Coordinates of all heavy atoms in Angstrom, one line a residue:
M1 N -34.6 -0.6 5.8 CA -34.9 -1.5 4.8 C -34.6 -2.9 5.3 O -33.6 -3.2 5.9 CB -34.0 -1.3 3.6 CG -34.3 -2.2 2.5 SD -33.3 -1.7 1.1 CE -32.9 -3.2 0.4
T2 N -35.6 -3.8 5.2 CA -35.5 -5.2 5.6 C -35.3 -6.1 4.4 O -36.0 -6.0 3.4 CB -36.8 -5.6 6.3 OG1 -37.1 -4.7 7.4 CG2 -36.7 -7.0 6.9
L3 N -34.3 -6.9 4.6 CA -34.0 -7.9 3.5 C -34.9 -9.1 3.6 O -35.3 -9.5 4.7 CB -32.5 -8.4 3.6 CG -31.5 -7.4 3.4 CD1 -30.1 -8.0 3.7 CD2 -31.5 -6.9 2.0
P4 N -35.3 -9.6 2.5 CA -36.1 -10.8 2.5 C -35.3 -11.9 3.2 O -34.1 -12.0 3.2 CB -36.3 -11.2 1.0 CG -35.9 -10.0 0.2 CD -35.0 -9.2 1.1
R5 N -36.1 -12.8 4.0 CA -35.4 -13.8 4.8 C -34.5 -14.7 4.0 O -33.4 -15.0 4.5 CB -36.5 -14.6 5.5 CG -36.0 -15.7 6.3 CD -37.1 -16.4 7.2 NE -36.7 -17.6 7.8 CZ -36.0 -17.7 8.8 NH1 -35.5 -16.7 9.4 NH2 -35.7 -18.9 9.3
S6 N -34.8 -15.1 2.8 CA -34.0 -15.9 2.0 C -32.6 -15.2 1.6 O -31.6 -15.9 1.6 CB -34.7 -16.5 0.8 OG -35.1 -15.4 0.0
L7 N -32.7 -14.0 1.4 CA -31.5 -13.2 1.0 C -30.6 -13.0 2.2 O -29.4 -13.2 2.1 CB -31.9 -11.8 0.4 CG -30.8 -10.9 0.0 CD1 -29.9 -11.7 -1.1 CD2 -31.2 -9.7 -0.6
S8 N -31.2 -12.8 3.3 CA -30.3 -12.6 4.5 C -29.7 -13.9 4.9 O -28.5 -14.0 5.3 CB -31.2 -12.0 5.7 OG -32.2 -12.9 6.1
L9 N -30.3 -15.0 4.8 CA -29.8 -16.3 5.1 C -28.6 -16.6 4.1 O -27.6 -17.2 4.5 CB -30.8 -17.5 5.1 CG -31.8 -17.5 6.2 CD1 -32.8 -18.5 6.0 CD2 -31.1 -17.6 7.5
A10 N -28.8 -16.3 2.9 CA -27.8 -16.5 1.9 C -26.5 -15.6 2.1 O -25.4 -16.1 2.0 CB -28.3 -16.2 0.5
A11 N -26.8 -14.4 2.6 CA -25.7 -13.5 3.0 C -24.9 -14.1 4.2 O -23.7 -14.1 4.2 CB -26.2 -12.1 3.3
I12 N -25.7 -14.6 5.1 CA -25.0 -15.2 6.3 C -24.2 -16.4 6.0 O -23.0 -16.6 6.4 CB -26.0 -15.5 7.4 CG1 -26.6 -14.2 8.0 CG2 -25.4 -16.4 8.5 CD1 -27.8 -14.5 8.8
A13 N -24.7 -17.2 5.1 CA -24.0 -18.4 4.6 C -22.7 -18.1 3.9 O -21.7 -18.7 4.1 CB -24.9 -19.3 3.7
M14 N -22.8 -17.0 3.1 CA -21.6 -16.6 2.3 C -20.5 -16.1 3.2 O -19.4 -16.4 3.1 CB -22.0 -15.5 1.2 CG -20.8 -15.1 0.4 SD -21.2 -14.0 -0.9 CE -22.0 -15.0 -2.0
V15 N -20.9 -15.2 4.2 CA -19.9 -14.7 5.2 C -19.3 -15.9 5.9 O -18.1 -15.9 6.1 CB -20.6 -13.7 6.1 CG1 -19.7 -13.4 7.3 CG2 -21.0 -12.4 5.4
G16 N -20.1 -16.8 6.3 CA -19.5 -18.0 7.0 C -18.5 -18.8 6.1 O -17.5 -19.1 6.6
A17 N -18.9 -19.0 4.9 CA -17.9 -19.6 4.0 C -16.6 -18.9 3.8 O -15.5 -19.4 3.8 CB -18.6 -19.9 2.7
V18 N -16.7 -17.6 3.7 CA -15.5 -16.8 3.4 C -14.7 -16.8 4.7 O -13.4 -16.9 4.6 CB -15.9 -15.3 3.1 CG1 -14.7 -14.4 3.1 CG2 -16.5 -15.3 1.7
S19 N -15.3 -16.6 5.8 CA -14.5 -16.6 7.1 C -13.9 -18.0 7.4 O -12.8 -18.1 7.9 CB -15.3 -16.1 8.3 OG -16.4 -17.0 8.5
T20 N -14.5 -19.0 7.0 CA -13.9 -20.4 7.2 C -12.7 -20.6 6.3 O -11.7 -21.0 6.7 CB -15.0 -21.5 6.9 OG1 -16.1 -21.3 7.8 CG2 -14.4 -22.9 7.0
F21 N -12.8 -20.1 5.0 CA -11.7 -20.2 4.1 C -10.5 -19.3 4.7 O -9.4 -19.8 4.7 CB -12.0 -19.6 2.7 CG -10.9 -19.5 1.8 CD1 -10.3 -20.6 1.3 CD2 -10.3 -18.2 1.5 CE1 -9.2 -20.5 0.5 CE2 -9.2 -18.2 0.7 CZ -8.6 -19.3 0.2
A22 N -10.8 -18.1 5.1 CA -9.7 -17.2 5.6 C -9.0 -17.8 6.9 O -7.9 -17.7 7.1 CB -10.3 -15.8 6.0
A23 N -9.9 -18.5 7.7 CA -9.3 -19.1 8.9 C -8.4 -20.3 8.6 O -7.5 -20.6 9.3 CB -10.4 -19.5 9.9
T24 N -8.7 -21.0 7.5 CA -7.9 -22.3 7.2 C -6.8 -22.0 6.1 O -6.0 -22.9 6.0 CB -8.9 -23.4 6.7 OG1 -9.6 -22.9 5.5 CG2 -9.9 -23.7 7.7
A25 N -6.8 -20.9 5.5 CA -5.8 -20.6 4.5 C -4.5 -20.4 5.1 O -4.4 -19.7 6.2 CB -6.2 -19.5 3.6
P26 N -3.4 -20.9 4.6 CA -2.1 -20.6 5.2 C -1.8 -19.1 5.1 O -2.1 -18.4 4.2 CB -1.1 -21.3 4.3 CG -1.9 -22.2 3.5 CD -3.3 -21.8 3.5
A27 N -1.2 -18.6 6.2 CA -1.0 -17.1 6.3 C 0.0 -16.7 5.1 O -0.3 -15.6 4.6 CB -0.3 -16.8 7.7
Q28 N 1.0 -17.4 4.8 CA 1.9 -17.0 3.8 C 1.2 -16.9 2.4 O 1.6 -16.1 1.6 CB 3.1 -17.9 3.7 CG 2.9 -19.3 3.3 CD 2.6 -20.2 4.5 OE1 2.2 -19.8 5.5 NE2 2.8 -21.5 4.3
A29 N 0.2 -17.7 2.1 CA -0.6 -17.7 0.9 C -1.4 -16.4 0.8 O -1.6 -15.8 -0.2 CB -1.5 -18.9 0.7
V30 N -1.9 -16.0 2.0 CA -2.8 -14.8 2.0 C -1.9 -13.5 2.0 O -2.3 -12.5 1.3 CB -3.7 -14.8 3.3 CG1 -4.6 -13.6 3.4 CG2 -4.6 -16.1 3.2
F31 N -0.8 -13.5 2.7 CA -0.1 -12.3 2.8 C 1.3 -12.3 2.2 O 2.0 -11.4 2.4 CB 0.1 -12.0 4.4 CG -1.2 -11.8 5.1 CD1 -1.6 -12.8 5.9 CD2 -1.9 -10.7 4.9 CE1 -2.8 -12.6 6.6 CE2 -3.2 -10.5 5.6 CZ -3.7 -11.5 6.4
A32 N 1.6 -13.2 1.3 CA 2.9 -13.3 0.7 C 3.1 -12.1 -0.3 O 2.2 -11.8 -1.0 CB 3.0 -14.6 -0.1
P33 N 4.1 -11.4 -0.1 CA 4.4 -10.2 -1.0 C 4.9 -10.7 -2.4 O 5.4 -11.8 -2.5 CB 5.6 -9.5 -0.4 CG 6.3 -10.6 0.5 CD 5.2 -11.5 0.9
Y34 N 4.6 -9.9 -3.4 CA 4.9 -10.2 -4.7 C 6.5 -10.0 -4.9 O 7.2 -10.8 -5.5 CB 4.2 -9.3 -5.7 CG 4.5 -9.7 -7.2 CD1 3.8 -10.7 -7.8 CD2 5.5 -9.0 -7.9 CE1 3.9 -11.0 -9.1 CE2 5.7 -9.4 -9.2 CZ 4.9 -10.4 -9.8 OH 5.2 -10.7 -11.1
Y35 N 7.0 -9.0 -4.3 CA 8.4 -8.6 -4.4 C 9.1 -8.8 -3.0 O 8.4 -8.5 -2.0 CB 8.7 -7.2 -4.8 CG 8.2 -6.9 -6.2 CD1 7.1 -6.0 -6.4 CD2 8.9 -7.4 -7.3 CE1 6.6 -5.7 -7.7 CE2 8.4 -7.0 -8.6 CZ 7.3 -6.2 -8.8 OH 6.9 -5.9 -10.1
A36 N 10.3 -9.4 -3.0 CA 11.0 -9.5 -1.8 C 12.5 -9.2 -2.2 O 12.9 -9.8 -3.2 CB 10.9 -10.9 -1.2
A37 N 13.1 -8.4 -1.4 CA 14.5 -8.1 -1.6 C 15.3 -8.1 -0.4 O 14.8 -7.8 0.7 CB 14.6 -6.7 -2.4
E38 N 16.6 -8.4 -0.5 CA 17.6 -8.2 0.5 C 18.6 -7.1 0.1 O 19.0 -7.1 -1.0 CB 18.4 -9.5 0.8 CG 17.5 -10.6 1.3 CD 17.0 -10.4 2.7 OE1 17.7 -9.9 3.6 OE2 15.8 -10.6 3.0
L39 N 18.8 -6.2 1.0 CA 19.8 -5.0 0.8 C 21.1 -5.4 1.3 O 21.3 -6.0 2.4 CB 19.2 -3.8 1.4 CG 17.8 -3.4 1.0 CD1 17.3 -2.2 1.9 CD2 17.7 -3.1 -0.4
A40 N 22.2 -4.8 0.7 CA 23.5 -5.0 1.2 C 23.8 -4.2 2.5 O 24.4 -4.7 3.4 CB 24.5 -4.5 0.1
T41 N 23.1 -3.1 2.6 CA 23.2 -2.2 3.8 C 21.8 -2.0 4.4 O 20.9 -1.6 3.7 CB 23.8 -0.8 3.3 OG1 25.0 -1.0 2.6 CG2 23.9 0.1 4.5
P42 N 21.7 -2.4 5.6 CA 20.4 -2.4 6.3 C 19.9 -0.9 6.4 O 20.7 0.0 6.6 CB 20.6 -3.0 7.6 CG 22.1 -2.9 7.9 CD 22.7 -2.9 6.6
V43 N 18.5 -0.8 6.4 CA 18.0 0.6 6.7 C 18.1 0.8 8.2 O 18.2 -0.2 9.0 CB 16.5 0.7 6.3 CG1 16.5 0.6 4.7 CG2 15.7 -0.4 6.9
E44 N 18.3 2.0 8.6 CA 18.5 2.4 10.0 C 17.3 2.1 10.9 O 17.4 1.7 12.1 CB 18.9 3.8 10.2 CG 20.3 4.1 9.6 CD 20.8 5.5 9.8 OE1 20.2 6.2 10.6 OE2 21.7 6.0 9.0
K45 N 16.1 2.3 10.3 CA 14.9 2.1 11.1 C 13.8 1.5 10.1 O 14.0 1.7 8.9 CB 14.4 3.3 11.8 CG 14.1 4.5 10.9 CD 13.6 5.7 11.6 CE 13.4 6.8 10.5 NZ 12.8 8.0 11.1
P46 N 12.8 0.9 10.6 CA 11.7 0.4 9.7 C 11.3 1.6 8.8 O 11.0 2.7 9.3 CB 10.6 0.0 10.6 CG 11.3 -0.5 11.8 CD 12.5 0.5 12.0
T47 N 11.2 1.4 7.5 CA 11.0 2.4 6.5 C 9.9 1.9 5.4 O 9.9 0.8 5.1 CB 12.3 2.7 5.7 OG1 13.3 3.1 6.7 CG2 12.1 3.8 4.8
T48 N 9.1 2.9 5.0 CA 8.2 2.7 3.9 C 8.6 3.7 2.8 O 9.0 4.8 3.2 CB 6.7 2.8 4.3 OG1 6.5 4.1 4.8 CG2 6.3 1.7 5.3
D49 N 8.5 3.2 1.6 CA 8.9 4.1 0.5 C 7.9 3.8 -0.7 O 7.8 2.6 -1.0 CB 10.3 4.0 0.1 CG 10.8 5.0 -0.9 OD1 10.8 6.2 -0.6 OD2 11.1 4.6 -2.0
I50 N 7.5 4.8 -1.3 CA 6.6 4.6 -2.5 C 7.4 5.0 -3.7 O 8.0 6.0 -3.8 CB 5.3 5.6 -2.4 CG1 4.4 5.2 -1.2 CG2 4.5 5.4 -3.7 CD1 3.3 6.0 -1.0
Q51 N 7.4 4.0 -4.7 CA 8.1 4.1 -5.9 C 7.2 3.7 -7.0 O 6.9 2.6 -7.2 CB 9.4 3.3 -6.0 CG 10.4 3.7 -4.9 CD 11.6 2.8 -4.9 OE1 11.6 1.8 -5.7 NE2 12.6 3.1 -4.2
K52 N 6.7 4.7 -7.8 CA 5.9 4.5 -9.0 C 4.6 3.6 -8.5 O 4.2 2.7 -9.3 CB 6.6 3.8 -10.1 CG 7.7 4.6 -10.7 CD 7.2 5.8 -11.5 CE 8.3 6.5 -12.2 NZ 7.9 7.6 -12.9
G53 N 4.0 3.9 -7.4 CA 2.9 3.3 -6.9 C 3.1 2.0 -6.1 O 2.2 1.4 -5.6
L54 N 4.4 1.5 -6.0 CA 4.7 0.4 -5.2 C 5.0 0.9 -3.8 O 5.8 1.8 -3.6 CB 5.9 -0.3 -5.7 CG 5.7 -1.3 -6.8 CD1 7.1 -1.9 -7.2 CD2 4.8 -2.4 -6.4
L55 N 4.4 0.3 -2.8 CA 4.8 0.6 -1.4 C 5.7 -0.4 -0.9 O 5.4 -1.5 -0.6 CB 3.5 0.7 -0.6 CG 3.7 0.9 0.9 CD1 4.3 2.3 1.2 CD2 2.4 0.8 1.7
W56 N 7.0 0.0 -0.7 CA 7.9 -0.9 -0.1 C 8.0 -0.8 1.4 O 7.9 0.4 1.9 CB 9.4 -0.5 -0.6 CG 9.6 -1.0 -2.0 CD1 9.6 -0.2 -3.2 CD2 10.0 -2.2 -2.5 NE1 9.8 -0.9 -4.3 CE2 10.1 -2.2 -3.9 CE3 10.2 -3.5 -1.8 CZ2 10.5 -3.3 -4.6 CZ3 10.6 -4.6 -2.6 CH2 10.7 -4.5 -3.9
D57 N 8.0 -1.8 2.1 CA 8.2 -1.9 3.5 C 9.5 -2.6 3.8 O 9.8 -3.7 3.4 CB 7.1 -2.8 4.2 CG 5.8 -2.1 4.3 OD1 5.7 -0.9 4.6 OD2 4.8 -2.7 3.9
C58 N 10.5 -1.8 4.4 CA 11.8 -2.2 4.6 C 12.1 -2.2 6.1 O 11.7 -1.2 6.8 CB 12.8 -1.4 3.9 SG 12.6 -1.3 2.1
E59 N 12.8 -3.3 6.5 CA 13.3 -3.3 7.9 C 14.6 -4.1 7.9 O 14.6 -5.2 7.4 CB 12.2 -4.0 8.8 CG 12.6 -3.9 10.3 CD 11.5 -4.4 11.2 OE1 10.3 -4.5 10.7 OE2 11.8 -4.7 12.3
G60 N 15.6 -3.6 8.5 CA 16.9 -4.2 8.5 C 17.4 -4.4 7.0 O 17.4 -3.3 6.3
N61 N 17.7 -5.6 6.6 CA 18.2 -5.8 5.3 C 17.0 -6.2 4.3 O 17.3 -6.4 3.1 CB 19.2 -6.9 5.2 CG 20.5 -6.4 5.8 OD1 20.6 -6.2 7.0 ND2 21.6 -6.3 5.0
S62 N 15.8 -6.4 4.8 CA 14.7 -6.9 4.0 C 13.7 -5.9 3.6 O 13.3 -5.0 4.4 CB 14.0 -8.0 4.8 OG 14.8 -9.1 5.2
C63 N 13.2 -6.0 2.3 CA 12.2 -5.1 1.8 C 11.2 -6.0 1.1 O 11.5 -7.0 0.4 CB 12.8 -4.1 0.8 SG 13.8 -2.9 1.5
V64 N 9.9 -5.7 1.2 CA 8.8 -6.4 0.5 C 7.8 -5.4 0.0 O 7.7 -4.3 0.5 CB 8.1 -7.4 1.5 CG1 9.0 -8.5 2.0 CG2 7.5 -6.7 2.7
A65 N 7.1 -5.8 -1.1 CA 6.1 -5.0 -1.7 C 5.1 -5.9 -2.4 O 5.5 -7.0 -2.9 CB 6.7 -4.0 -2.6
A66 N 3.9 -5.4 -2.6 CA 2.9 -6.1 -3.3 C 3.0 -5.5 -4.8 O 3.5 -4.4 -5.0 CB 1.4 -5.8 -2.8
K67 N 2.5 -6.3 -5.7 CA 2.6 -5.8 -7.1 C 1.4 -4.9 -7.4 O 0.2 -5.2 -7.2 CB 2.5 -6.9 -8.1 CG 2.6 -6.5 -9.6 CD 2.8 -7.7 -10.5 CE 2.9 -7.3 -11.9 NZ 4.3 -6.9 -12.3
K68 N 1.7 -3.6 -7.7 CA 0.6 -2.6 -7.9 C 0.8 -1.8 -9.2 O 0.0 -1.0 -9.5 CB 0.7 -1.5 -6.8 CG 0.4 -2.1 -5.4 CD -1.0 -2.5 -5.3 CE -1.3 -3.0 -3.8 NZ -2.5 -3.5 -3.6
N69 N 1.8 -2.2 -10.0 CA 1.9 -1.5 -11.3 C 2.4 -2.5 -12.3 O 2.5 -3.7 -12.1 CB 2.9 -0.3 -11.1 CG 4.3 -0.8 -10.7 OD1 4.7 -1.9 -11.1 ND2 5.0 0.1 -10.1
R70 N 2.6 -2.0 -13.5 CA 3.0 -2.9 -14.6 C 4.5 -2.8 -15.0 O 4.8 -3.2 -16.0 CB 2.2 -2.6 -15.9 CG 0.7 -2.9 -15.7 CD -0.1 -2.6 -16.9 NE -1.5 -2.9 -16.7 CZ -2.3 -3.0 -17.6 NH1 -2.0 -2.7 -18.8 NH2 -3.6 -3.3 -17.4
S71 N 5.3 -2.3 -14.1 CA 6.7 -2.1 -14.4 C 7.3 -3.5 -14.5 O 6.9 -4.4 -13.8 CB 7.4 -1.3 -13.3 OG 6.9 0.0 -13.2
R72 N 8.3 -3.6 -15.3 CA 9.1 -4.8 -15.5 C 9.8 -5.1 -14.1 O 10.3 -4.1 -13.5 CB 10.1 -4.8 -16.6 CG 9.3 -4.8 -18.0 CD 10.3 -5.0 -19.1 NE 11.7 -4.6 -18.8 CZ 12.3 -3.6 -19.4 NH1 11.8 -2.9 -20.4 NH2 13.5 -3.3 -19.1
D73 N 10.0 -6.4 -13.8 CA 10.7 -6.7 -12.6 C 12.1 -6.1 -12.4 O 12.4 -5.6 -11.4 CB 10.8 -8.2 -12.4 CG 9.4 -8.9 -12.3 OD1 8.4 -8.2 -12.0 OD2 9.3 -10.1 -12.7
M74 N 12.8 -6.0 -13.5 CA 14.2 -5.5 -13.5 C 14.1 -4.0 -13.2 O 14.9 -3.4 -12.4 CB 14.9 -5.7 -14.8 CG 16.3 -5.1 -14.9 SD 17.4 -5.9 -13.6 CE 17.6 -7.5 -14.2
I75 N 13.2 -3.3 -13.7 CA 13.0 -1.8 -13.4 C 12.6 -1.6 -12.0 O 13.2 -0.7 -11.3 CB 11.9 -1.2 -14.4 CG1 12.2 -1.4 -15.8 CG2 11.7 0.2 -14.0 CD1 13.5 -0.7 -16.3
V76 N 11.8 -2.5 -11.4 CA 11.5 -2.4 -10.0 C 12.7 -2.6 -9.1 O 12.9 -1.8 -8.2 CB 10.4 -3.4 -9.6 CG1 10.1 -3.5 -8.1 CG2 9.1 -3.1 -10.4
C77 N 13.5 -3.6 -9.5 CA 14.8 -3.8 -8.8 C 15.7 -2.6 -8.8 O 16.3 -2.2 -7.8 CB 15.4 -5.1 -9.3 SG 16.9 -5.6 -8.3
Q78 N 15.9 -2.1 -10.0 CA 16.8 -0.9 -10.2 C 16.3 0.3 -9.5 O 17.2 1.0 -8.9 CB 16.9 -0.6 -11.7 CG 17.6 -1.7 -12.5 CD 17.6 -1.5 -14.0 OE1 16.7 -0.9 -14.6 NE2 18.5 -2.1 -14.7
R79 N 15.0 0.5 -9.4 CA 14.5 1.7 -8.6 C 14.8 1.4 -7.1 O 15.2 2.4 -6.4 CB 13.0 1.8 -8.8 CG 12.6 2.5 -10.1 CD 11.1 2.7 -10.1 NE 10.7 3.0 -11.4 CZ 9.7 2.4 -12.1 NH1 9.0 1.5 -11.5 NH2 9.4 2.8 -13.4
L80 N 14.6 0.2 -6.7 CA 14.9 -0.1 -5.2 C 16.4 0.1 -5.0 O 16.7 0.7 -4.0 CB 14.5 -1.5 -4.9 CG 14.6 -1.9 -3.4 CD1 13.7 -1.2 -2.5 CD2 14.4 -3.4 -3.3
A81 N 17.3 -0.4 -5.8 CA 18.7 -0.2 -5.7 C 19.1 1.2 -5.7 O 20.0 1.7 -4.9 CB 19.5 -1.0 -6.7
G82 N 18.4 2.0 -6.6 CA 18.7 3.4 -6.6 C 18.4 4.2 -5.4 O 19.0 5.2 -5.0
K83 N 17.4 3.7 -4.7 CA 16.9 4.4 -3.4 C 17.7 3.9 -2.2 O 18.1 4.6 -1.3 CB 15.4 4.2 -3.2 CG 14.9 4.7 -2.0 CD 14.8 6.2 -2.0 CE 14.2 6.6 -0.7 NZ 13.7 8.0 -0.7
F84 N 17.9 2.6 -2.1 CA 18.5 2.0 -0.9 C 19.9 1.4 -1.1 O 20.4 0.8 -0.1 CB 17.5 0.9 -0.3 CG 16.3 1.5 0.1 CD1 15.1 1.3 -0.6 CD2 16.2 2.1 1.4 CE1 13.9 1.8 -0.2 CE2 15.0 2.7 1.8 CZ 13.8 2.5 1.1
G85 N 20.5 1.4 -2.2 CA 21.8 0.8 -2.4 C 21.7 -0.6 -3.0 O 20.6 -1.1 -3.3
D86 N 22.8 -1.3 -3.1 CA 22.9 -2.6 -3.7 C 21.9 -3.6 -3.1 O 21.7 -3.6 -1.9 CB 24.3 -3.2 -3.6 CG 25.3 -2.5 -4.6 OD1 24.8 -1.7 -5.4 OD2 26.4 -2.8 -4.5
V87 N 21.3 -4.3 -4.0 CA 20.4 -5.4 -3.7 C 21.2 -6.7 -3.8 O 21.8 -7.0 -4.9 CB 19.2 -5.4 -4.7 CG1 18.3 -6.6 -4.4 CG2 18.4 -4.1 -4.5
T88 N 21.1 -7.5 -2.8 CA 21.9 -8.8 -2.8 C 21.0 -10.0 -3.1 O 21.6 -11.0 -3.5 CB 22.6 -9.0 -1.5 OG1 21.6 -9.1 -0.4 CG2 23.6 -7.9 -1.2
A89 N 19.7 -9.8 -3.1 CA 18.8 -10.9 -3.4 C 17.5 -10.2 -3.8 O 17.1 -9.2 -3.2 CB 18.6 -11.9 -2.3
F90 N 16.8 -10.8 -4.9 CA 15.6 -10.2 -5.4 C 14.7 -11.3 -5.9 O 15.1 -12.1 -6.7 CB 15.8 -9.1 -6.5 CG 14.6 -8.3 -6.9 CD1 14.2 -7.2 -6.1 CD2 13.9 -8.7 -7.9 CE1 13.1 -6.4 -6.4 CE2 12.7 -7.9 -8.3 CZ 12.4 -6.8 -7.6
R91 N 13.4 -11.2 -5.5 CA 12.4 -12.2 -5.9 C 11.2 -11.4 -6.4 O 10.7 -10.6 -5.7 CB 12.0 -13.2 -4.9 CG 11.0 -14.2 -5.3 CD 10.5 -15.1 -4.2 NE 10.0 -14.4 -3.0 CZ 8.8 -13.7 -2.8 NH1 8.0 -13.7 -3.8 NH2 8.5 -13.2 -1.7
A92 N 10.7 -11.8 -7.6 CA 9.4 -11.3 -8.1 C 8.5 -12.5 -8.3 O 8.8 -13.2 -9.3 CB 9.6 -10.4 -9.3
A93 N 7.4 -12.6 -7.5 CA 6.6 -13.8 -7.6 C 7.5 -15.0 -7.4 O 8.1 -15.1 -6.3 CB 5.8 -13.9 -8.8
N94 N 7.6 -15.9 -8.3 CA 8.3 -17.1 -8.2 C 9.7 -17.0 -8.9 O 10.4 -18.0 -9.0 CB 7.6 -18.3 -8.7 CG 6.4 -18.6 -7.9 OD1 6.4 -18.4 -6.7 ND2 5.3 -19.0 -8.6
K95 N 10.0 -15.8 -9.5 CA 11.3 -15.7 -10.2 C 12.3 -15.1 -9.2 O 12.2 -14.0 -8.7 CB 11.1 -14.7 -11.4 CG 12.4 -14.6 -12.2 CD 12.3 -13.6 -13.3 CE 13.5 -13.6 -14.2 NZ 14.5 -12.7 -14.0
V96 N 13.4 -15.9 -9.1 CA 14.5 -15.3 -8.2 C 15.6 -14.9 -9.2 O 16.1 -15.6 -10.1 CB 15.0 -16.5 -7.3 CG1 16.3 -16.1 -6.5 CG2 13.9 -17.0 -6.4
F97 N 16.1 -13.7 -8.9 CA 17.2 -13.1 -9.8 C 18.5 -13.9 -9.5 O 18.8 -14.1 -8.4 CB 17.4 -11.6 -9.5 CG 16.4 -10.7 -10.1 CD1 15.2 -11.1 -10.6 CD2 16.8 -9.4 -10.4 CE1 14.2 -10.2 -11.2 CE2 15.9 -8.5 -11.0 CZ 14.7 -9.0 -11.5
D98 N 19.2 -14.2 -10.6 CA 20.5 -14.8 -10.5 C 21.6 -13.7 -10.4 O 21.2 -12.5 -10.4 CB 20.7 -15.8 -11.6 CG 20.7 -15.1 -13.0 OD1 20.8 -13.9 -13.1 OD2 20.5 -15.8 -14.0
E99 N 22.8 -14.1 -10.4 CA 24.0 -13.1 -10.2 C 23.9 -12.1 -11.4 O 24.2 -11.0 -11.2 CB 25.2 -13.9 -10.1 CG 25.5 -14.6 -8.8 CD 26.8 -15.2 -8.7 OE1 27.8 -14.6 -9.3 OE2 26.9 -16.2 -8.0
A100 N 23.7 -12.6 -12.6 CA 23.7 -11.6 -13.7 C 22.6 -10.7 -13.6 O 22.8 -9.4 -13.9 CB 23.6 -12.5 -15.0
D101 N 21.4 -11.1 -13.2 CA 20.2 -10.2 -13.0 C 20.6 -9.1 -11.9 O 20.3 -8.0 -12.0 CB 19.0 -10.9 -12.6 CG 18.4 -11.8 -13.7 OD1 18.6 -11.4 -15.0 OD2 17.8 -12.8 -13.5
L102 N 21.1 -9.7 -10.8 CA 21.5 -8.7 -9.7 C 22.5 -7.7 -10.2 O 22.5 -6.5 -9.8 CB 21.9 -9.5 -8.5 CG 20.9 -10.3 -7.8 CD1 21.5 -11.2 -6.7 CD2 19.8 -9.4 -7.1
A103 N 23.5 -8.1 -10.9 CA 24.5 -7.2 -11.4 C 23.9 -6.1 -12.3 O 24.2 -4.9 -12.1 CB 25.5 -7.9 -12.3
K104 N 22.9 -6.5 -13.1 CA 22.2 -5.5 -13.9 C 21.3 -4.6 -13.1 O 21.2 -3.4 -13.3 CB 21.3 -6.3 -15.0 CG 20.6 -5.3 -16.0 CD 19.9 -6.1 -17.1 CE 19.2 -5.2 -18.1 NZ 18.5 -5.9 -19.1
C105 N 20.7 -5.2 -12.1 CA 19.8 -4.4 -11.1 C 20.7 -3.3 -10.5 O 20.2 -2.2 -10.4 CB 19.2 -5.4 -10.1 SG 18.4 -4.5 -8.7
N106 N 21.8 -3.7 -10.0 CA 22.7 -2.8 -9.2 C 23.5 -1.9 -10.1 O 24.1 -0.9 -9.6 CB 23.6 -3.6 -8.3 CG 22.8 -4.3 -7.2 OD1 21.9 -3.7 -6.6 ND2 23.1 -5.5 -6.9
G107 N 23.6 -2.2 -11.4 CA 24.4 -1.5 -12.4 C 24.0 -0.1 -12.6 O 24.7 0.8 -12.8

């Protein structure tokens, strides 16, 4: 099947625009995880763990995950703590848990 010349040129222009955006966008904006956590006890080796549809990537004391479900942030933190032990720092998007939140997370 051959595309009409005008359609193929439009497709090429769109691919060019997308690739230019991807090349100029800051890496952290493109790949920033929704969740980031610090564990009290490091994992022994790089680990991935799936919890209610969230894929956690953990290495050393750090764990990160993209948002893939509708669970409340506190529930996500509590599940992580239940699996890997106490969480010493937790961020969900732009919300950083304070000491009271962390105590509830680890409770």
Side-chain angles (χ1 to χ4, degrees):
M1 178 174 146
T2 305
L3 294 174
R5 181 171 165 75
S6 61
L7 182 57
S8 61
L9 290 176
I12 290 169
M14 183 175 287
V15 169
V18 170
S19 60
T20 300
F21 172 75
T24 59
Q28 66 272 21
V30 176
F31 299 108
Y34 186 86
Y35 296 109
E38 293 294 319
L39 305 174
T41 305
V43 295
E44 292 181 20
K45 59 182 181 175
T47 303
T48 57
D49 187 64
I50 299 174
Q51 297 178 352
K52 299 286 185 180
L54 277 178
L55 175 64
W56 284 100
D57 287 314
C58 300
E59 187 171 345
N61 291 67
S62 298
C63 294
V64 294
K67 185 170 180 83
K68 297 289 184 189
N69 64 28
R70 294 182 178 193
S71 294
R72 290 190 336 243
D73 298 336
M74 182 58 70
I75 300 296
V76 171
C77 186
Q78 289 170 336
R79 285 187 192 126
L80 184 67
K83 176 72 178 197
F84 293 105
D86 283 354
V87 174
T88 59
F90 189 83
R91 178 186 53 78
N94 294 323
K95 180 183 191 264
V96 177
F97 278 26
D98 61 19
E99 287 184 31
D101 290 331
L102 289 172
K104 187 174 179 182
C105 170
N106 292 317

